[in-house]
Amino acid sequence: MIRVAVGNRIAVCRATGKVLKKYELLFESAEVSRLKQMVESGNFQSIDTLQRAVGHKAGAKLTLFIDADHNFATAQVSEFIPFDYEPVMSPMSYEGEVVKTIATLVTSGT
């Protein structure tokens, strides 16, 4: 899904050839299991109820890649284990209406 162009990493959807934009949302460590559950179920509606990370409390990270048309997205949850974030689940892919929901939540400042 990632290709290298002139030394820069660009995420590209293999199926469509479209470039994906990367988003990273940080949450408190206690939210890892709830975040995983949201990603696994594809239900992101209550993501705004999760405690966002402030300062050094960023123990959970949600990494999203979304195409510009909001037709395809991937999501993966990582947990901070000194001294880096380690994935705690395999990436999940989404298509259709769930992507539009995710994109709306991410671009609205959630």
Side-chain angles (χ1 to χ4, degrees), residues 5-110:
V6 192
N8 296 327
R9 290 181 140 194
I10 299 172
V12 176
C13 177
R14 285 186 186 169
T16 64
K18 294 186 179 188
V19 174
L20 304 173
K21 185 172 180 181
K22 182 178 182 179
Y23 298 89
E24 290 183 338
L25 305 175
L26 300 175
F27 300 90
E28 290 190 9
S29 297
E31 301 293 6
V32 170
S33 61
R34 287 181 58 201
L35 192 56
K36 278 180 58 177
Q37 186 178 28
M38 284 182 196
V39 171
E40 289 169 346
S41 70
N43 183 0
F44 291 84
Q45 292 295 339
S46 59
I47 197 165
D48 58 348
T49 65
L50 299 177
Q51 290 292 319
R52 296 298 293 263
V54 178
H56 67 286
K57 293 185 179 182
K61 177 171 72 172
L62 174 62
T63 303
L64 297 162
F65 288 93
I66 305 172
D67 73 359
D69 297 334
H70 300 163
N71 292 318
F72 178 81
T74 64
Q76 185 173 34
V77 178
S78 300
E79 185 173 19
F80 188 79
I81 301 172
F83 293 94
D84 202 3
Y85 283 96
E86 298 291 331
V88 294
M89 63 180 297
S90 298
M92 302 289 292
S93 296
Y94 310 97
E95 295 180 15
E97 288 302 312
V98 70
V99 179
K100 292 178 186 357
T101 300
I102 294 168
T104 300
L105 294 168
V106 170
T107 57
S108 69
T110 300

